[in-house]
Amino acid sequence: MIIDVHAHYGKWFFAIEATGIKDTLHILDKYGIKRCVLSSSLAVVYDFREGNAELDQILDKDERLLGYVVVNCNYLRESRRALDRYLSKNKFVGVKMHPTYTRQPINSLASMAMMDIIEEYGVPLLLHTYGAETAQVEEAAIAHPDLKIIMGHMGGDMWLKAIEIAKRTPNTWLELCCSCQETGKVELAVEAVGAQRILFGSDLTLIDPAWTLGMVKDAHITAKEREMILRGNAKQLFGLQL
Amino acid sequence: MTSPIIDVNTIFGFWPFREIDISAKALVEIMRVHKVLRACSLSTKGVFYDFHLGNEETWKVSQTYPKIIPVATFDFSRYLGIKDEIRQRFNQGFKLFRLLPDYQCWKIDDLRFQKVLPVFEEIGAPVIIGMQNSRLSTLSKIAEGFSFPIILEGVSFYDTGEILEVMGQHLNFYVETHWLNGPDTVEILVNHLGPRRLIFGSNSPLFYMGGAIERIKNADIIEHQKELIFGKNLMNLLGE
């Protein structure tokens, strides 16, 4: 059984056709993914209001589907309304922020204000981290000690920096999906912060789960640690009943 | 899975950017774990320091480890002597050549690169070109009129549309698979270009080999197409 904490629903501006809900369910079947936490790509790259509403309609289609409420820190009041509206529904279990598409650094005033708000709700935040911006997570994590921050993509090509930050900030988790699949990163992460703070994500509908599953299978870690990464930690973090 | 896996994209040697064992011994062990029959590989000494010395080392290692198919490489920043080196390595028995501009100080739109293409055409052996920082459309224009096989490495699902157009135009172009990790990238390319244009590669030992293998194993294509991608296409290109 696998829990995927980083997936999307919807189209992208790339030549990818497998973005419909049938495609996603087929992929979940293929890899034995029992719970999949999605954010709306429409909400991430464009209009969070429209995208969240669209995802809300989709989540009821299959019990495996769970949702992130996407917020946009350029719209603090509307983002709070979205949190109130969707987090009251059982299917929404976390919040997603993407600094690239809002053009707000992780440690900007707007982003930090957004995290002040999210912290009140007590749910995990999936925060896109990739490249140099990864270094800014530390400031955000220290300023928001009660916010559970999942570092999406584990910093991408800056994964060593992400591991350093996770080691210094107990309220951060490392999520693995990324095209930078450099050998040894899983082992180093486990060694630095323990398997209990590492999570499996696929990045569907951008990346096929086989990519990251292959990496987790390859990693020289114990069976128990693998189990924690693929399901146990997510179950605990999101309080899932399975 | 009954067909052998042959990996077109591996390296060995020393990696200066972080502590990691990418020795030939480590590579061969990874191949054993994943039941990879053979791997095309080259010494990183030829990438970062001196291509002549690197090619020497690659040849020696391939004699020690028969599972390693030697790949010759050339640095266009050094340039001097490059044409002779290509011919010599071909005559020595290298069947595959690889260019890694992403790690060196040159680009594919450089005149030095364009001046060497006729030498590759003359010998006719396949050439793998790292495309991580280059446009496929640029290579398409530069390679117009040449017929030697070119294997595009370092292209991802971001590039799918451009891959389709460029490879549709150049029937001598092939694509290496390790970054074709989108949920339907392999399937789209197979449907549009046929299964004979994709060649399995992992970028191991820098990358985990498992992800690249699992993506092809789990692709929604038929078994025969997987066999072609996993090895038969490459063997055909290498004349084996």
Side-chain angles (χ1 to χ4, degrees):
Chain A
M1 183 185 76
I2 295 166
I3 300 173
D4 181 350
V5 306
H6 190 164
H8 308 93
Y9 167 72
K11 294 178 181 177
W12 295 95
F13 38 77
F14 299 115
I16 299 171
E17 292 179 327
T19 56
I21 197 62
K22 279 185 184 171
D23 302 303
T24 296
L25 295 178
H26 166 66
I27 289 169
L28 300 189
D29 288 340
K30 190 157 66 167
Y31 298 107
I33 296 172
K34 296 299 183 195
R35 291 292 183 275
C36 181
V37 193
L38 309 159
S39 59
S40 155
S41 59
L42 171 62
V44 170
V45 305
Y46 181 53
D47 184 339
F48 71 105
R49 303 161 304 182
E50 193 181 344
N52 286 330
E54 189 178 75
L55 183 65
D56 187 27
Q57 300 301 310
I58 292 300
L59 294 182
D60 287 332
K61 292 191 183 296
D62 192 284
E63 68 168 5
R64 289 170 292 183
L65 305 179
L66 299 168
Y68 286 110
V69 185
V70 176
V71 292
N72 182 329
C73 63
N74 296 307
Y75 295 84
L76 289 174
R77 275 177 293 183
E78 281 202 68
S79 290
R80 184 187 276 281
R81 278 201 288 274
L83 294 173
D84 285 337
R85 178 172 182 181
Y86 296 111
L87 288 177
S88 62
K89 304 182 178 203
N90 290 337
K91 284 272 185 170
F92 282 90
V93 294
V95 182
K96 166 88 180 249
M97 274 178 75
H98 200 306
T100 308
Y101 293 113
T102 52
R103 297 188 183 174
Q104 287 282 359
I106 290 167
N107 60 354
S108 72
L109 286 176
S111 291
M112 296 291 262
M114 190 72 253
M115 284 185 254
D116 291 345
I117 294 170
I118 299 166
E119 195 174 24
E120 296 172 21
Y121 290 80
V123 293
L125 165 67
L126 174 59
L127 179 63
H128 173 92
T129 62
Y130 213 106
E133 69 195 2
T134 303
Q136 300 162 1
V137 175
E138 186 162 12
E139 187 181 339
I142 290 169
H144 303 93
D146 294 326
L147 182 59
K148 298 165 186 166
I149 300 175
I150 301 169
M151 298 171 69
H153 311 297
M154 195 167 130
D157 55 344
M158 294 293 283
W159 55 271
L160 281 167
K161 174 58 75 178
I163 291 172
E164 270 178 40
I165 292 168
K167 202 171 176 178
R168 289 196 290 263
T169 52
N171 55 326
T172 56
W173 279 253
L174 297 165
E175 181 275 312
L176 293 171
C177 69
C178 177
S179 284
C180 301
Q181 211 181 67
E182 292 179 67
T183 313
K185 66 193 277 189
V186 179
E187 292 89 332
L188 277 173
V190 169
E191 189 184 325
V193 303
Q196 67 277 7
R197 284 206 282 141
I198 303 171
L199 300 162
F200 168 77
S202 68
D203 210 13
L204 265 178
T205 47
L206 281 168
I207 295 179
D208 191 279
W211 179 246
T212 306
L213 284 173
M215 175 172 75
V216 176
K217 277 187 197 169
D218 257 17
H220 297 288
I221 55 177
T222 66
K224 174 66 180 165
E225 288 165 339
R226 194 169 285 110
E227 186 278 333
M228 290 164 76
I229 292 170
L230 291 177
R231 50 186 167 270
N233 297 337
K235 189 179 171 202
Q236 191 174 13
L237 181 63
F238 288 94
L240 303 177
Q241 302 297 320
L242 294 172
Chain B
M1 175 61 58
T2 52
S3 68
I5 299 175
I6 301 167
D7 190 336
V8 77
N9 181 8
T10 73
I11 55 162
F12 65 85
F14 180 75
W15 194 248
F17 310 114
R18 67 186 177 96
E19 186 179 351
I20 177 174
D21 182 2
I22 61 162
S23 64
K25 190 179 170 189
L27 170 61
V28 170
E29 173 58 15
I30 293 167
M31 291 166 64
R32 185 192 66 75
V33 168
H34 288 286
K35 299 183 174 61
V36 171
L37 191 65
R38 302 190 76 191
C40 302
S41 201
L42 57 85
S43 165
T44 49
K45 184 178 280 181
V47 181
F48 296 116
Y49 180 57
D50 182 301
F51 60 78
H52 180 79
L53 291 176
N55 291 335
E56 288 290 320
E57 191 166 280
T58 298
W59 186 259
K60 278 183 196 163
V61 164
S62 73
Q63 305 301 302
T64 306
Y65 298 100
K67 288 184 172 186
I68 290 181
I69 300 170
V71 180
T73 191
F74 316 96
D75 185 347
F76 285 72
S77 301
R78 174 75 53 88
Y79 194 65
L80 297 175
I82 208 168
K83 293 177 184 174
D84 289 341
E85 177 81 1
I86 293 170
R87 291 189 182 99
Q88 281 170 19
R89 294 304 170 190
F90 180 69
N91 291 332
Q92 185 181 4
F94 283 87
K95 293 180 176 178
L96 187 58
F97 299 84
R98 183 165 177 184
L99 307 176
L100 297 105
D102 302 328
Y103 290 119
Q104 299 164 340
C105 301
W106 64 276
K107 293 184 182 299
I108 60 163
D109 58 0
D110 192 309
L111 192 59
R112 291 172 293 187
F113 174 63
Q114 294 174 42
K115 290 290 185 185
V116 170
L117 290 180
V119 183
F120 287 126
E121 183 75 1
E122 170 192 317
I123 63 175
V127 179
I128 310 175
I129 305 179
M131 296 300 296
Q132 199 175 340
N133 297 321
S134 305
R135 296 301 310 178
L136 291 169
S137 299
T138 305
L139 182 65
S140 174
K141 286 176 195 155
I142 292 166
E144 197 67 56
F146 294 102
S147 60
F148 63 91
I150 291 177
I151 303 169
L152 310 167
E153 185 273 335
V155 291
S156 79
F157 65 86
Y158 284 25
D159 307 305
T160 304
E162 204 174 0
I163 295 170
L164 290 175
E165 286 306 324
V166 168
M167 288 183 61
Q169 202 168 315
H170 294 270
L171 298 181
N172 57 323
F173 279 21
Y174 299 79
V175 63
E176 182 267 351
T177 59
H178 88 275
W179 258 350
L180 304 180
N181 53 11
D184 58 0
T185 313
V186 170
E187 291 82 350
I188 287 173
L189 295 180
V190 166
N191 287 338
H192 285 77
L193 300 168
R196 295 182 188 278
R197 310 286 296 282
L198 284 75
I199 293 178
F200 172 75
S202 70
N203 197 24
S204 186
L206 288 182
F207 277 23
Y208 291 94
M209 191 178 266
I213 291 177
E214 291 296 320
R215 179 64 194 96
I216 302 299
K217 272 188 183 172
N218 287 286
D220 289 324
I221 55 177
I222 63 173
E223 205 59 32
H224 173 62
Q225 294 170 330
K226 292 178 189 176
E227 288 174 6
L228 290 168
I229 294 168
F230 266 135
K232 288 183 178 173
N233 291 338
L234 178 60
M235 288 298 98
N236 284 339
L237 277 184
L238 297 178
E240 292 192 7

